[in-house]
Amino acid sequence: MQVKKEDMCLYLVTDRAWLKDKSLYEQVEEALKGGVTMVQLREKSLREEEMYAEAVELKKLCRQYQVPFIINDDVALALKVDADGVHVGQSDMNPARVRKMIGKDKILGVTAKTVEQARRAEEEGADYLGSGAVFHTGTKTDTKELDHAVLQEICESVRIPVVAIGGISAKNVHVLRGRGISGIATVSGILAQPDIKVAAETLHSLVDKFILEK
């Protein structure tokens, strides 16, 4: 599966911290019903067998909705469950090596916080970039906010899609207007909301209005 620009519109990243009374599967399905266009399984606290079980179930779910399913960091797991792709950060495995491992037909996402990182990631085979945090976020407490002017420079420096991430919600997505991003990635902007499906629908419509301007 090759990544399409429209896949970047509303990118959901999982976090079991927001499970409450639902399973991760149930939460992701509600988000998919609300219009999520891509799903990344990112869980830092699960044991290997638990991650595998979640990955298998979520991959099936995403296939039902014809949405790309991405694994965060774990290339071996992505290959084991035949995920659509993998996303790696700057401190993870080198993107060029990941590309060799997953082949040309899988999606490779790379985190880029500078123009230099963005250009290098594209050269090394990235299909899309994740850039942020564009707003303050409680998900990653060690992450500094990315200047929106730098975000725009990143978008202008590469030919591949760039998705903004970090603290994005229905209240602030409009601030990213005109920066050149292809969409947004969020955790709590969807999963922490009282009605996940409605939250996804709302964000999708706002991205259509402010980000995907015709």
Side-chain angles (χ1 to χ4, degrees):
M1 176 184 284
Q2 293 299 302
V3 70
K4 300 186 291 293
K5 192 173 181 179
E6 51 266 34
D7 294 333
M8 297 289 103
C9 175
L10 186 56
Y11 189 152
L12 176 70
V13 180
T14 72
D15 187 342
R16 297 174 67 85
W18 302 108
L19 280 187
K20 301 175 185 174
D21 59 341
K22 292 185 172 69
S23 68
L24 188 60
Y25 184 98
E26 289 170 330
Q27 285 195 327
V28 172
E29 183 161 34
E30 286 186 29
L32 287 166
K33 288 177 178 177
V36 160
T37 57
M38 202 163 186
V39 174
Q40 179 188 135
L41 177 61
R42 185 178 74 185
E43 300 293 340
K44 302 294 186 180
S45 60
L46 288 181
R47 296 193 304 271
E48 185 176 339
E49 62 271 21
E50 293 173 322
M51 273 291 287
Y52 175 77
E54 288 282 23
V56 168
E57 289 302 307
L58 290 183
K59 187 195 85 167
K60 290 179 183 176
L61 180 62
C62 288
R63 291 280 163 88
Q64 289 175 28
Y65 285 84
Q66 298 182 311
V67 165
F69 175 62
I70 308 297
I71 300 285
N72 183 62
D73 292 353
D74 196 332
V75 180
L77 177 61
L79 291 171
K80 188 175 182 180
V81 302
D82 191 27
D84 295 308
V86 64
H87 186 99
V88 293
Q90 288 296 314
S91 60
D92 300 319
M93 194 181 298
N94 176 267
R97 184 182 173 199
V98 176
R99 174 55 73 196
K100 287 182 180 178
M101 293 175 68
I102 66 176
K104 61 181 176 58
D105 295 327
K106 295 290 187 183
I107 297 168
L108 174 57
V110 178
T111 298
K113 300 181 180 183
T114 66
V115 169
E116 180 185 5
Q117 290 176 354
R119 288 175 174 160
R120 185 169 63 245
E122 183 176 34
E123 290 170 1
E124 293 177 337
D127 292 303
Y128 76 88
L129 303 175
S131 295
V134 292
F135 301 109
H136 174 73
T137 174
T139 304
K140 288 193 171 184
T141 55
D142 59 342
T143 300
K144 292 194 302 182
E145 287 185 43
L146 179 69
D147 188 287
H148 294 178
V150 175
L151 174 65
Q152 185 169 340
E153 288 179 36
I154 288 172
C155 294
E156 293 171 350
S157 71
V158 295
R159 297 180 301 275
I160 56 178
V162 177
V163 59
I165 188 169
I168 303 173
S169 70
K171 294 180 179 179
N172 61 21
V173 66
H174 66 281
V175 178
L176 300 172
R177 187 177 200 163
R179 294 300 184 180
I181 60 174
S182 295
I184 63 166
T186 185
V187 182
S188 61
I190 291 177
L191 298 182
Q193 306 311 306
D195 190 318
I196 290 172
K197 180 174 179 289
V198 170
E201 290 172 341
T202 300
L203 272 176
H204 198 296
S205 66
L206 290 171
V207 171
D208 281 343
K209 180 178 180 180
F210 295 114
I211 308 302
L212 308 181
E213 297 174 285
K214 303 297 186 288

